[in-house]
Amino acid sequence: MTEQTTIAGSRFVGGVDYKALNERSVIDFLSPLHNASTLLGGAPSSWTVREVGDGNLNLVFIVKGSNGGIVVKQALPYVRMVGESWPLPLDRAYFEHEALKIQTLAAPHLVPKLYHFDTMQAACVMELLEPHLIVRKGLIKGIRYPKLAADIAEFCALTLFRTSDLGSPASEKRERQARFSHNITLSKITEDLVFTDPYRLSDMNLWTTPQLDKIAAAFRADAPLKLAAQELKWMFLSRGEALLHGDLHTGSIMATETNTRVIDPEFAVFGPMGFDLGAFMANLLLAFFAQEGHATERDDRQSYRAWILDTLESFWTLFGQKFLALWNKGGDGDAFLPPLFADDTGEVALEAYRHMTMARLFHDAIGFTGAKMARRILGLAHVEDLESITDTDRRAKCEKRALKMARALMVGRNSFSEISEIRDIAETIAKEPVA
Ligand code: SR1
Ligand code: MG
């Protein structure tokens, strides 16, 4: 039996009847659901089930029938990657479902279809994305995704703009912000794992040892870097600009060459827009630095590395264009009401302000990029891009380069103005000898 979790004093997730599903019980869970049964087709006894969750937190089942397949994602009352010693509230399933509903309103073509949410079982039934692959796994294999940059730029522009005070009325934004402010436990994971633990001794931290021991100690003693991390943390805590996905790494994106979908918004919370933008860019850069560890005699991965940096550059450029286009068109937001700027001087001033805002967003995003890179190398929860490099000396070389970049981005974030500068730094660090 699991304790019920109260959200905003009125909603309950999990409860006396909550039970972690398994490959047999998931069929009993789905069979009474009319839409799920229709989507699957045939008798429940003919359905096949596979548990495929390889993330850090949840159970994920793929169920297939004669007509098609669906996914059932269920929250566990603890952190899957650690075990029952780290309990975690089931209400994250509620926040994920709520976020997915809002993302569906903003960018329906870029998220999975939602079929059903079961509050008691903390489980969501969703579209099976096939033949999509988790992008992180594709980046390890050297697969190119021609639409990735444009699609994630569009996802970020649409979801961030439409949930901000530029795109949604204050009444709606305040109500949503109040609701998601209860996603406290998952936000605390981000606060600790991204902004604090890599800069202090913590039982949670992991790094490639002994190769990274010195650099880990140097991070813990680096005052300018710790100030940068804390300034970014303060921004994450206090600047509720828009509803963030909250965990927009390449493991939260599934894609084919022609289609991209963003999954897993259980860390959704109102925060600084740069956080999502930085999460995506950080994971591209981690993939970039990991390529040296995946190179073989037959494939040195040089052209693939260049493609990753092309994707980084296109992503930022397209995000800026799409976000500004939405703002120019005007949203339903209460900030910057167009009639206030209807005369010539007003229009010029507003246009200049929009460009200043994009420059500020760039600085924020670059800082978060650095923080999101460092946490995956020095803290808990690493990335497969690097972990799959089994030769630890080879992996450490990639990680040292990524950490050098992470620090440069965090400390120097306000000095950059073009995404091409970020590319240049990555290319330079990739060529430098590693101590
Ligand atoms: C304990 S959860 C660890 C990490 O997994 C998720 O993907 C988030 O990034 C979180 O920080
Ligand atoms: Mg996730």
Side-chain angles (χ1 to χ4, degrees):
M1 189 180 103
T2 311
E3 262 181 50
Q4 283 191 330
T5 311
T6 309
I7 297 163
S10 61
R11 291 170 191 275
F12 300 95
V13 182
V16 283
D17 288 332
Y18 171 87
K19 221 168 182 248
L21 295 166
N22 58 42
E23 293 184 352
R24 263 172 291 116
S25 62
V26 81
I27 294 186
D28 300 331
F29 168 73
L30 286 173
S31 49
L33 305 177
H34 181 69
N35 59 349
S37 297
T38 311
L39 282 160
L40 289 166
S45 57
S46 69
W47 299 344
T48 60
V49 185
R50 259 183 326 130
E51 203 283 311
V52 295
D54 71 345
N56 296 327
L57 302 180
N58 307 296
L59 292 170
V60 181
F61 299 92
I62 291 182
V63 186
K64 288 191 172 174
S66 50
N67 286 352
I70 51 178
V71 163
V72 179
K73 178 173 176 182
Q74 185 187 36
L76 285 166
Y78 54 86
V79 175
R80 183 176 182 164
M81 71 178 290
V82 174
E84 295 189 30
S85 61
W86 186 350
L88 204 59
L90 297 169
D91 61 6
R92 66 186 189 276
Y94 164 81
F95 293 113
E96 172 160 357
H97 179 246
E98 289 297 300
L100 206 38
K101 283 198 292 187
I102 294 171
Q103 292 168 351
T104 302
L105 292 174
H109 52 302
L110 295 169
V111 291
K113 287 194 191 83
L114 268 172
Y115 298 135
H116 178 74
F117 179 63
D118 189 301
T119 311
M120 187 64 83
Q121 295 305 331
C124 198
V125 184
M126 289 175 280
E127 181 183 10
L128 172 64
L129 300 171
E130 253 184 359
H132 298 60
L133 185 67
I134 294 281
V135 165
R136 189 185 302 290
K137 294 190 185 291
L139 295 172
I140 295 168
K141 289 185 181 183
I143 297 173
R144 286 166 208 243
Y145 293 101
K147 293 194 76 232
L148 182 66
D151 285 346
I152 300 304
E154 182 160 316
F155 174 83
C156 289
L158 287 171
T159 58
L160 297 176
F161 181 84
R162 295 210 169 134
T163 60
S164 75
D165 286 298
L166 302 173
S168 79
S171 54
E172 179 180 65
K173 198 244 178 182
R174 285 190 187 287
E175 186 282 319
R176 285 175 172 171
Q177 192 168 7
R179 200 159 9 125
F180 282 93
S181 72
H182 292 270
N183 201 0
I184 295 167
T185 311
L186 266 64
S187 298
K188 171 89 171 117
I189 289 178
T190 300
E191 289 147 26
D192 290 344
L193 269 51
V194 177
F195 301 110
T196 309
D197 286 354
Y199 309 96
R200 66 177 175 190
L201 282 174
S202 159
D203 290 345
M204 299 276 212
N205 287 343
L206 295 167
W207 60 77
T208 306
T209 185
Q211 293 90 335
L212 261 52
D213 289 359
K214 266 199 194 146
I215 195 166
F219 265 52
R220 294 194 298 272
D222 188 333
L225 182 62
K226 288 189 282 187
L227 281 178
Q230 293 315 292
E231 204 174 9
L232 291 160
K233 181 177 185 177
W234 192 10
M235 219 189 281
F236 179 77
L237 287 165
S238 60
R239 193 185 284 166
E241 277 178 336
L243 179 64
L244 307 180
H245 174 283
D247 202 21
L248 190 52
H249 54 73
T250 48
S252 296
I253 304 169
M254 297 189 73
T256 66
E257 276 198 5
T258 55
N259 191 270
T260 314
R261 309 289 188 94
V262 176
I263 60 171
D264 279 3
E266 65 201 314
F267 283 78
V269 71
F270 276 74
M273 300 191 198
F275 186 81
D276 273 1
L277 302 164
F280 180 60
M281 293 198 283
N283 282 269
L284 288 179
L285 287 167
L286 289 170
F288 169 82
F289 285 108
Q291 292 305 315
E292 197 185 340
H294 303 310
T296 59
E297 276 189 6
R298 283 182 47 216
D299 181 3
D300 64 8
R301 297 279 180 122
Q302 285 303 333
S303 73
Y304 191 64
R305 285 155 67 117
W307 174 82
I308 295 177
L309 295 182
D310 291 346
T311 302
L312 179 88
E313 282 196 278
S314 306
F315 165 71
W316 183 262
T317 306
L318 293 169
F319 167 75
Q321 289 168 3
K322 288 169 196 274
F323 192 90
L324 277 175
L326 289 164
W327 196 354
N328 270 309
K329 197 168 153 219
D332 297 329
D334 281 311
F336 300 94
L337 291 172
L340 292 176
F341 301 95
D343 56 4
D344 284 352
T345 45
E347 268 178 27
V348 171
L350 182 56
E351 188 57 13
Y353 182 83
R354 285 181 180 134
H355 285 277
M356 270 165 48
T357 302
M358 298 316 288
R360 194 268 294 164
L361 270 185
F362 183 61
H363 295 156
D364 297 354
I366 293 305
F368 287 119
T369 301
K372 298 281 254 175
M373 290 173 75
R375 58 88 42 121
R376 296 291 184 192
I377 299 171
L378 296 178
L380 182 77
H382 287 205
V383 288
E384 197 179 334
D385 313 59
L386 291 160
E387 292 301 293
S388 58
I389 305 167
T390 47
D391 176 334
T392 53
D393 284 335
R394 202 173 176 200
R395 186 203 307 156
K397 210 169 149 194
C398 301
E399 291 174 329
K400 283 182 184 176
R401 289 198 164 113
L403 286 174
K404 185 169 184 183
M405 174 122 198
R407 186 188 185 281
L409 298 185
M410 289 171 72
V411 174
R413 64 193 184 283
N414 293 326
S415 66
F416 303 116
S417 48
E418 303 286 338
I419 190 69
S420 59
E421 293 170 70
I422 309 304
R423 178 187 197 124
D424 292 346
I425 300 177
E427 283 173 340
T428 304
I429 291 178
K431 283 187 212 129
E432 284 171 356
V434 174

